[in-house]
Amino acid sequence: MSTTPLLKVENLKKYFPVKKGMFGKTVGYVKAVDDVSFFVNEGETLGIVGESGCGKSTTGRVLMRLLEPTDGEIEFDGKNLASLSQEEMRKTRRDIQMVFQDPYASLNPRHTIGKILEEPLIVHGISDPQERKKKVREFLEIVGLNEYHAKRYPHQFSGGQRQRIGIARALMTNPKLIIADEPVSALDVSIQAQVLNLMQDLQKEFNLTYIFIAHDLGVVRHISDRVAVMYLGKMVEVADSEQLYEKPLHPYTQALLSAVPVPDPDFQKEQIIIEGDIPNPADPPTGCTFHTRCPFKMDICTKVTPQLTEQTTGHSVACHLHVGQVDNDIKQLEGSL
Ligand code: SF4
């Protein structure tokens, strides 16, 4: 794995306007992604984790420019994606592909698998039908299917096989980065492991870089080199996978981890229950947005937004509980008075 970032994201924001009344007047914004910065090195896997509605899938879609960013920089392979024209972005998409949660919904039911897999090649200008068919056969085998499957339709496959087809489709253009949005959440646990193993093998074979989005820290652990935890549109903790699982610093990460089942019944952890629901993203709490559910809430938490601050090399957290963080945040509070 290299230490050169393939993707660098700075202060990324995606706000959706909230409209009301007959004239559709904008009365506020849902800050789905709110000032998020991170990087992914070539050949590594960054897991992005959080509850539904935390902004992780929106982040993935903004990176692909399936949704336009409100603000921020997205540098991919030396290019600033946010400033590319639609045509330039279309060409760049051959290097960034997505794998979706529900392979059935993302595969056209009226097309054969062969046609579905040929489509990205046509879009990206491979005009020779023989060359396309050869590639389809090759990639069906790479993902563990057979060449005769090219003549079948999506409904003739199991969920796990359909996800293999989704992965084959993403690979057809030889991408550098794959954004996988909950790729195994809809699958049985036994099939999940097979698909995760396949993704890991493909990563080695093709030197792929992954962003792996999931709500389940247990799944992400298996595949990620580093993990970023999101809550209400912000990154609240980023660390190497091992550090995050051994020594989570943010109370939200601790609660998510305590909910991951442990296979050995003698080593069961005490589960930390987070009270209440995720707040309305159109009207997020002041200060630390987690304060309405945090068992360690202090006075400062309702007033000052904690900044993502590095605690040890590569391990950053946005929480007033951590050394240096409170001092920084008090200075920020004093500066704003
Ligand atoms: Fe809890 Fe305060 Fe830390 Fe937020 S900043 S996670 S409310 S202790």
Coordinates of all heavy atoms in Angstrom, one line a residue, residues 285-289 291 297-307 320 329 332-333 336-337:
P285 N -28.4 20.0 17.0 CA -28.1 20.6 18.3 C -26.9 21.5 18.2 O -26.1 21.4 17.3 CB -27.8 19.4 19.2 CG -28.3 18.2 18.5 CD -28.3 18.5 17.0
T286 N -26.8 22.5 19.1 CA -25.7 23.5 19.1 C -24.5 22.7 19.6 O -24.6 21.7 20.2 CB -26.0 24.6 20.0 OG1 -26.4 24.1 21.3 CG2 -27.1 25.5 19.4
G287 N -23.3 23.3 19.4 CA -22.1 22.8 20.0 C -21.8 21.4 19.4 O -21.8 21.2 18.2
C288 N -21.5 20.5 20.3 CA -21.3 19.1 19.8 C -22.6 18.5 19.5 O -23.5 18.4 20.3 CB -20.6 18.3 20.9 SG -20.6 16.5 20.4
T289 N -22.8 18.1 18.2 CA -24.2 17.7 17.8 C -24.5 16.3 18.5 O -25.7 15.9 18.4 CB -24.3 17.5 16.3 OG1 -23.2 16.7 15.9 CG2 -24.2 18.8 15.5
H291 N -24.3 16.0 21.7 CA -24.5 16.2 23.2 C -25.9 15.8 23.7 O -26.1 15.4 24.8 CB -24.2 17.7 23.5 CG -25.4 18.6 23.3 ND1 -25.3 19.6 22.3 CD2 -26.6 18.8 23.9 CE1 -26.4 20.3 22.3 NE2 -27.2 19.9 23.3
K297 N -21.7 14.3 28.6 CA -21.9 15.7 28.3 C -21.5 16.7 29.4 O -21.8 16.4 30.5 CB -23.4 15.9 28.0 CG -23.8 17.3 27.5 CD -25.2 17.4 27.2 CE -26.0 18.0 28.4 NZ -27.4 18.2 28.2
M298 N -20.7 17.7 29.0 CA -20.3 18.8 29.9 C -21.0 20.1 29.4 O -21.5 20.1 28.3 CB -18.8 18.9 29.9 CG -18.1 17.6 30.2 SD -16.3 17.8 29.9 CE -16.2 17.7 28.1
D299 N -20.8 21.1 30.2 CA -21.4 22.4 29.8 C -20.9 22.9 28.5 O -21.7 23.4 27.7 CB -21.1 23.5 30.9 CG -22.1 23.5 32.0 OD1 -23.1 22.8 31.8 OD2 -21.9 24.3 33.0
I300 N -19.6 22.8 28.3 CA -19.0 23.3 27.1 C -19.6 22.6 25.8 O -19.6 23.2 24.7 CB -17.4 23.2 27.1 CG1 -16.8 23.9 25.9 CG2 -17.0 21.7 27.2 CD1 -15.3 23.9 25.9
C301 N -20.0 21.4 26.0 CA -20.5 20.6 24.8 C -21.7 21.2 24.1 O -21.8 21.0 22.9 CB -20.8 19.2 25.3 SG -19.5 18.3 26.1
T302 N -22.5 21.9 24.9 CA -23.7 22.5 24.2 C -23.4 23.8 23.6 O -24.2 24.4 22.8 CB -24.8 22.8 25.3 OG1 -24.2 23.7 26.3 CG2 -25.3 21.5 25.9
K303 N -22.2 24.4 23.9 CA -21.8 25.7 23.4 C -20.8 25.7 22.2 O -20.9 26.6 21.3 CB -21.3 26.6 24.5 CG -22.3 26.8 25.6 CD -21.8 27.7 26.7 CE -22.8 27.8 27.9 NZ -22.4 26.9 28.9
V304 N -19.8 24.9 22.3 CA -18.7 24.9 21.4 C -18.6 23.6 20.6 O -18.7 22.5 21.2 CB -17.4 25.1 22.2 CG1 -16.2 25.2 21.2 CG2 -17.4 26.4 23.0
T305 N -18.5 23.8 19.3 CA -18.3 22.6 18.4 C -16.9 22.1 18.5 O -15.9 22.8 18.2 CB -18.6 23.0 16.9 OG1 -19.8 23.7 16.9 CG2 -18.6 21.8 16.0
P306 N -16.7 20.8 19.0 CA -15.3 20.3 19.0 C -14.8 20.1 17.6 O -15.5 19.6 16.8 CB -15.5 19.0 19.8 CG -16.9 18.6 19.6 CD -17.7 19.9 19.4
Q307 N -13.5 20.4 17.5 CA -12.8 20.2 16.1 C -12.1 18.9 16.1 O -11.7 18.4 17.2 CB -11.8 21.4 15.9 CG -12.4 22.8 16.0 CD -13.5 23.0 15.0 OE1 -13.4 22.6 13.8 NE2 -14.7 23.5 15.4
H320 N -14.7 17.1 23.4 CA -14.1 18.0 24.4 C -13.4 17.2 25.5 O -12.7 17.7 26.4 CB -15.1 18.9 25.0 CG -15.7 19.9 24.0 ND1 -14.9 20.8 23.4 CD2 -16.9 20.1 23.6 CE1 -15.6 21.5 22.6 NE2 -16.9 21.2 22.7
D329 N -10.7 24.4 22.5 CA -12.1 24.8 22.3 C -12.5 26.0 23.2 O -13.3 26.8 22.8 CB -13.0 23.6 22.5 CG -12.8 22.6 21.4 OD1 -12.4 23.0 20.3 OD2 -12.8 21.4 21.7
Q332 N -11.2 28.9 21.5 CA -12.1 29.3 20.3 C -13.3 30.0 20.8 O -13.8 31.0 20.3 CB -12.5 28.0 19.6 CG -13.3 28.2 18.4 CD -14.1 26.9 18.0 OE1 -13.6 25.8 18.3 NE2 -15.2 27.0 17.5
L333 N -13.8 29.6 22.0 CA -15.0 30.2 22.6 C -14.7 31.6 23.0 O -15.5 32.6 22.7 CB -15.5 29.4 23.8 CG -16.7 29.9 24.6 CD1 -17.9 29.9 23.7 CD2 -17.0 29.1 25.8
S336 N -14.5 34.0 20.1 CA -15.7 34.3 19.5 C -16.6 35.3 20.3 O -17.6 35.8 19.9 CB -16.5 33.1 19.1 OG -16.9 32.5 20.3
L337 N -16.1 35.5 21.6 CA -17.0 36.4 22.4 C -16.6 37.9 22.2 O -15.6 38.3 21.7 CB -16.7 36.1 23.9 CG -17.2 34.7 24.4 CD1 -16.8 34.5 25.8 CD2 -18.7 34.6 24.2

